[in-house]
Amino acid sequence: MNIDPQLLSIIVCPACHGELVAAAEELVCQGCGNAYPVRDDIPVLLVDEARKPA
C-alpha cells in the first residue's frame, strides 16, 4: 500500500471521524474499529464497504 503520508494525516473515518491507521491492505479506524479497504493505492472510505469490528 502506497498512500501519501500527507493524505493519510488529513483523512478520517466517515462513520465516527476517528483517526485512520494503515494496516496491511486497509485503513483501520482507532475510534469505531471499522476497516476500510485500499484498492490500487486508493482508500475506499465508504461505510458500506467497511469491514466491521468483530
Side-chain angles (χ1 to χ4, degrees):
M1 178 169 53
N2 187 20
I3 297 178
D4 183 355
Q6 190 174 11
L7 174 63
L8 194 54
S9 71
I10 60 172
I11 59 175
V12 295
C13 175
C16 74
H17 305 287
E19 178 185 356
L20 295 173
V21 176
E25 290 297 315
E26 54 191 17
L27 297 175
V28 180
C29 176
Q30 297 300 292
C32 65
N34 283 351
Y36 298 92
V38 177
R39 297 186 185 122
D40 297 324
D41 294 333
I42 300 170
V44 181
L45 299 177
L46 300 172
V47 176
D48 290 341
E49 293 281 328
R51 183 174 53 82
K52 309 296 184 217

